[in-house]
């Protein structure tokens, strides 16, 4: 059975020296042709053709590390998720990752994802060993990587949540919150239960603050839920009392995300509250899901994939030394479902 085993160490990696020898040129000439090395070596058209033919014959692939030392570019961008964990079942991160990958493909680079380790040493390794040319950062403003970016002067672009001091690419959170308040006003709602987040995401804070400002302008009363995040339950006993008790009850719920809004709908249906007949529900995200849910949520589609794709483009411009906007805002779309 030994003959069926394979050992990586038995394989010979073709080197520039091998190519130079076969082509009959110096190693520096081969490097100029194959790696774009900057040197005083002049290479004639005939020698260039010989080098390329030798490389094709031997199956040569340029060493990415060596080439990065020569050109100053790794042709990789990093995607850093901060204190948030990636999950394939999370629609938000699926959209975000897909957008980063598409953006990287657009600009002809690869993507490195940082998902493990949050200690300072691991973060330093990520940004100081030239493993990437720049970072797309999804993090809150107290993330420990942010001061390291300033010290090491690595190009970085914030995505989804604005970060002061970094170019940021975001959805129109404020516009989304405003349009949701206007929608509920046109339906005659005068008291809304607002489900906010305690996690500190600036995007969620912006959208719900805008919702409450517009609601106030439209003379809609808002009550912020005391149980900011209630997980799978969506609503606690205090929330339910606000939605069902008395003539001054809230007749609608505004969730900071689709996930929270969907949990709210589940809870309301489980206790026999009609949607939207008794309580209307709105969310924010607008994911396109494959399954057919029991309800189609009235929401704002933020198109996180397009936000992340644009962030990769902005990062590339930053790496190339171009001026970029402090904030790039991607338009949102109001989606009328059957929960209002």
């Amino acid at each position: 059975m030994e003959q069926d085993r394979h050992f990586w160490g038995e394989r010979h990696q073709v080197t520039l020296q091998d190519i130079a020898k076969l082509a009959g040129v110096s190693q520096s000439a081969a490097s100029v042709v194959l790696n774009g090395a900057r040197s005083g070596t002049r290479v004639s058209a005939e020698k260039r053709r010989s080098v390329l033919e030798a490389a094709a014959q031997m199956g040569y692939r340029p060493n990415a590390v060596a080439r990065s030392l020569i050109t100053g570019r790794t042709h990789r961008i990093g995607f850093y998720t901060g204190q948030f964990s990636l999950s394939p079942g999370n629609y938000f991160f699926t959209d975000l990752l897909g957008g980063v990958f598409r953006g990287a493909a657009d600009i002809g680079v690869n993507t490195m994802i940082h998902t493990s380790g949050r200690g300072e040493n691991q973060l330093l390794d990520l940004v100081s060993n030239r493993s990437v040319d720049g970072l797309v950062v999804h993090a809150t403003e107290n993330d420990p990587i942010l001061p390291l970016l300033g010290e090491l002067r690595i190009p970085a672009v914030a995505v989804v949540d604005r970060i002061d001091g970094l170019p940021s690419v975001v959805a129109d959170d404020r516009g989304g919150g405003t349009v949701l308040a206007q929608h509920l006003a046109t339906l005659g709602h005068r008291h809304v239960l607002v489900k906010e987040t305690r996690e500190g995401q600036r995007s969620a804070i912006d959208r719900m603050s805008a919702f409450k400002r517009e609601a106030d302008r439209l003379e809609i009363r808002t009550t912020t839920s005391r149980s900011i995040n209630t997980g799978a339950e969506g609503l606690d006993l205090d929330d339910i009392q606000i939605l069902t008790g008395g003539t001054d009850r809230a007749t609608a719920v505004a969730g900071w995300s689709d996930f929270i809004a969907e949990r709210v709908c589940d809870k309301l249906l489980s206790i026999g509250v009609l949607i939207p007949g008794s309580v209307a529900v709105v969310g924010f995200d607008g994911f396109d899901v494959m399954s057919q849910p029991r309800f189609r949520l009235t929401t704002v589609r933020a198109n996180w994939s397009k936000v992340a794709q644009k962030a990769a483009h902005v990062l590339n411009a930053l790496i190339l030394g171009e001026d970029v906007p402090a904030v790039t805002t991607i338009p949102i779309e109001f989606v009328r479902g059957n929960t209002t």
Side-chain angles (χ1 to χ4, degrees), residues 64-212:
V65 174
R67 186 168 53 185
S68 70
L69 292 174
I70 295 169
T71 64
R73 289 286 304 273
T74 66
H75 296 281
R76 289 192 298 265
I77 61 173
F79 177 56
Y80 174 78
T81 62
Q83 306 303 308
F84 305 102
S85 59
L86 292 176
S87 169
N90 186 309
Y91 296 132
F92 172 74
F93 280 117
T94 299
D95 277 7
L96 211 58
L97 277 173
V100 171
F101 292 155
R102 275 189 289 275
D106 293 340
I107 60 181
V109 300
N110 292 314
T111 308
M112 177 180 291
I113 304 172
H114 180 68
T115 58
S116 61
R118 295 179 176 85
E120 184 171 329
N121 290 337
Q122 290 163 311
L123 297 178
L124 278 170
D125 284 343
L126 173 68
V127 296
S128 65
N129 65 3
R130 299 301 302 162
S131 59
V132 294
D133 294 323
L135 280 179
V136 174
V137 177
H138 176 237
T140 56
E141 289 189 307
N142 61 353
D143 194 283
I145 199 174
L146 299 181
L148 302 180
L149 297 177
E151 292 174 15
L152 297 167
R153 301 183 62 80
I154 184 170
V157 171
V159 66
V160 178
D161 296 289
R162 290 182 294 123
I163 295 177
D164 293 336
L166 289 185
S168 302
V169 182
V170 301
D172 187 5
D173 293 289
R174 293 169 179 168
T178 299
V179 75
L180 288 174
Q182 292 170 347
H183 172 65
L184 292 177
T186 62
L187 298 178
H189 294 280
R190 288 293 173 261
H191 185 188
V192 179
L193 176 67
V194 177
K195 301 287 291 184
E196 293 187 339
T197 176
R198 65 158 60 105
E199 302 301 329
Q201 296 100 315
R202 197 163 180 176
S203 56
I205 294 170
D206 283 349
R207 75 184 64 132
M208 301 318 291
S209 295
F211 178 92
K212 289 191 284 189

Side-chain angles (χ1 to χ4, degrees), residues 7-331:
F7 299 93
W8 179 258
E10 294 176 353
R11 304 184 184 188
H12 172 65
Q13 182 177 357
V14 180
T15 66
L16 271 177
Q17 186 176 5
D18 298 329
I19 300 300
K21 184 177 180 180
L22 180 61
V25 301
S26 67
Q27 189 169 330
S28 62
S31 182
V32 168
V33 175
L34 297 175
N35 287 336
R38 301 184 184 95
S39 75
T41 303
R42 299 178 63 86
V43 182
S44 67
E46 183 180 352
K47 287 183 177 181
R48 181 178 294 274
R49 184 168 57 253
S50 296
V51 169
L52 293 174
E53 288 175 354
Q57 180 180 332
M58 300 188 74
Y60 172 76
R61 295 292 181 271
N63 185 294
V65 174
R67 186 168 53 185
S68 70
L69 292 174
I70 295 169
T71 64
R73 289 286 304 273
T74 66
H75 296 281
R76 289 192 298 265
I77 61 173
F79 177 56
Y80 174 78
T81 62
Q83 306 303 308
F84 305 102
S85 59
L86 292 176
S87 169
N90 186 309
Y91 296 132
F92 172 74
F93 280 117
T94 299
D95 277 7
L96 211 58
L97 277 173
V100 171
F101 292 155
R102 275 189 289 275
D106 293 340
I107 60 181
V109 300
N110 292 314
T111 308
M112 177 180 291
I113 304 172
H114 180 68
T115 58
S116 61
R118 295 179 176 85
E120 184 171 329
N121 290 337
Q122 290 163 311
L123 297 178
L124 278 170
D125 284 343
L126 173 68
V127 296
S128 65
N129 65 3
R130 299 301 302 162
S131 59
V132 294
D133 294 323
L135 280 179
V136 174
V137 177
H138 176 237
T140 56
E141 289 189 307
N142 61 353
D143 194 283
I145 199 174
L146 299 181
L148 302 180
L149 297 177
E151 292 174 15
L152 297 167
R153 301 183 62 80
I154 184 170
V157 171
V159 66
V160 178
D161 296 289
R162 290 182 294 123
I163 295 177
D164 293 336
L166 289 185
S168 302
V169 182
V170 301
D172 187 5
D173 293 289
R174 293 169 179 168
T178 299
V179 75
L180 288 174
Q182 292 170 347
H183 172 65
L184 292 177
T186 62
L187 298 178
H189 294 280
R190 288 293 173 261
H191 185 188
V192 179
L193 176 67
V194 177
K195 301 287 291 184
E196 293 187 339
T197 176
R198 65 158 60 105
E199 302 301 329
Q201 296 100 315
R202 197 163 180 176
S203 56
I205 294 170
D206 283 349
R207 75 184 64 132
M208 301 318 291
S209 295
F211 178 92
K212 289 191 284 189
R213 281 194 302 271
E214 185 66 5
D216 184 61
R217 188 186 73 81
L218 296 169
E219 299 182 345
I220 298 175
R221 176 186 169 195
T222 58
T223 300
T224 301
S225 173
R226 292 195 182 99
S227 56
I228 303 296
N229 284 329
T230 48
E233 286 297 311
L235 299 168
D236 69 4
L237 293 177
D238 289 338
D239 295 334
I240 294 171
Q241 178 61 31
I242 293 168
L243 292 168
T244 59
T247 57
D248 191 34
R249 71 180 182 87
T251 58
V253 180
W256 70 270
S257 69
D258 281 356
F259 175 79
I260 294 300
E262 288 167 358
R263 300 291 77 74
V264 167
C265 289
D266 287 338
K267 185 64 176 180
L268 290 173
L269 291 175
S270 74
I271 61 175
V273 176
L274 298 178
I275 304 171
S278 182
V279 174
V281 181
V282 297
F284 192 107
D285 279 320
F287 300 118
D288 292 321
V289 296
M290 299 299 293
S291 60
Q292 293 297 321
R294 286 181 294 172
F295 39 78
R296 300 187 314 278
L297 194 64
T298 294
T299 187
V300 164
R301 179 171 291 123
N303 202 335
W304 297 122
S305 178
K306 186 175 291 186
V307 170
Q309 184 176 10
K310 182 64 176 179
H313 283 263
V314 172
L315 177 61
N316 188 57
L318 200 63
I319 291 168
L320 295 175
E322 300 173 10
D323 290 333
V324 300
V327 179
T328 301
T329 303
I330 304 301

